[in-house]
Amino acid sequence: MKVRTFSTKELASVYVAAIVENLIQTHPSPVIGLATGSSPVDLYRHLAHFCHQGLSFAQVTTVNLDEYVGVPAHHPQSYHRFMDDHLFRFIDVPPDQIFIPDGTASDLQAACEQFDEILERHPIDLQILGLGHNGHIGFNEPGLALATGTHVTALSPETIAANARFFASPAEVPTHAITMGVQSILRAKKIILLAFGEDKAEAVQRSISGQISTDVPASILQVHPDVTFVLDKLAAALLGGEAVCTWG
Ligand code: GLP
């Protein structure tokens, strides 16, 4: 596991944007796994800017980690909408090369199986991850982390509480999500996890230095051969020697 620590999340995001740019420039048809949440927002802004300056995403395929169950794509808080608002509307990735789990499917089990088939057809070259405060990746919540492929999961009370601010009333806050499984995430050739801010420091420390445990789903990344945690100094605050490289 590599750790790259930057003074600010802005600098960290530039670093990751350059890695994504390099992949797009050197791979004939890269598959990039994408995450939602605040952590990748600056990264997506940089990628949009690169596209504006001539970097083409025409040969890129994207697969997203997760989506709320029961929240339609056009809803302002859907992950479909998030991706449109922060990235897809600014880049030239063809719509038929964008894949996001369908949380409104009438048969969610079938939707999970279809998403796994998509992942089989499009093995992920680079997976971008965020990190939940409880160590979740995608929506692989503590205790459920070894579920294999794409699956429907009940969100933890902590995650539901964290999401409540985005919805008009408590009744609207989703309680379930459809998410890529940890096994699918681990199949990515390369993984970059972004975590910023002091409120992520404990989850970062437990993921990197703690025991591998389903209690901290991101700790399972320790078994992957090519994982980089990209942090700001606040998120790295509880690390010791692991914060080997500090830039910016
Ligand atoms: C949600 C998403 C995760 C994301 C996490 C962290 O739970 N399902 O994929 O990593 O939020 O979000 P943020 O980056 O806003 O801290």
Side-chain angles (χ1 to χ4, degrees):
M1 234 174 187
K2 285 180 282 201
V3 182
R4 297 285 181 263
T5 308
F6 294 82
S7 55
T8 65
K9 73 180 169 110
E10 288 77 16
L11 282 174
S13 302
V14 171
Y15 170 75
V16 179
I19 293 173
V20 176
E21 180 190 34
N22 183 258
L23 176 68
I24 293 171
Q25 286 173 332
T26 56
H27 193 299
S29 53
V31 180
I32 306 178
L34 298 174
T36 52
S38 59
S39 304
V41 165
D42 282 349
L43 164 65
Y44 295 157
R45 191 165 45 78
H46 291 304
L47 295 179
H49 181 64
F50 289 168
C51 186
H52 186 66
Q53 296 203 313
L55 179 71
S56 177
F57 288 70
Q59 304 305 322
V60 174
T61 295
T62 67
V63 289
N64 260 81
L65 281 168
D66 47 14
E67 177 57 284
Y68 293 125
V69 166
V71 177
H74 59 81
H75 188 285
Q77 296 305 331
S78 81
Y79 285 174
H80 279 74
R81 180 75 178 269
F82 176 97
M83 291 309 304
D84 276 345
D85 288 350
H86 291 280
L87 185 63
F88 294 149
R89 70 168 62 176
F90 302 111
I91 62 174
D92 61 340
V93 60
D96 63 352
Q97 288 164 213
I98 292 172
F99 299 100
I100 304 179
D102 181 3
T104 57
S106 52
D107 183 342
L108 287 169
Q109 186 50 39
C112 291
E113 286 163 20
Q114 279 162 16
F115 204 75
D116 282 340
E117 284 162 20
I118 290 165
L119 295 173
E120 288 283 328
R121 284 203 305 278
H122 302 285
I124 299 170
D125 294 296
L126 170 62
Q127 175 67 55
I128 303 295
L129 294 176
L131 180 67
H133 293 107
N134 60 7
H136 75 215
I137 45 177
F139 268 133
N140 292 277
E141 295 277 36
L144 296 171
L146 292 180
T148 51
T150 305
H151 59 283
V152 174
T153 185
L155 302 180
S156 71
E158 189 181 6
T159 301
I160 294 171
N163 289 338
R165 65 203 149 114
F166 299 120
F167 292 85
S169 70
E172 270 189 57
V173 186
T175 56
H176 289 75
I178 179 168
T179 183
M180 249 193 232
V182 166
Q183 292 261 298
S184 311
I185 294 170
L186 289 177
R187 276 197 202 112
K189 288 197 191 87
K190 180 179 184 68
I191 297 173
I192 294 179
L193 184 146
L194 306 172
F196 306 128
E198 62 188 336
D199 56 324
K200 295 289 173 73
E202 188 182 341
V204 164
Q205 193 267 335
R206 293 181 75 197
S207 302
I208 294 175
S209 323
Q211 280 195 328
I212 298 175
S213 159
T214 57
D215 290 343
V216 185
S219 67
I220 294 161
L221 298 174
Q222 291 178 31
V223 304
H224 190 280
D226 188 355
V227 176
T228 306
F229 274 59
V230 176
L231 311 172
D232 67 359
K233 62 180 181 216
L234 298 171
L238 299 179
L239 296 177
E242 305 95 328
V244 283
C245 184
T246 305
W247 292 329

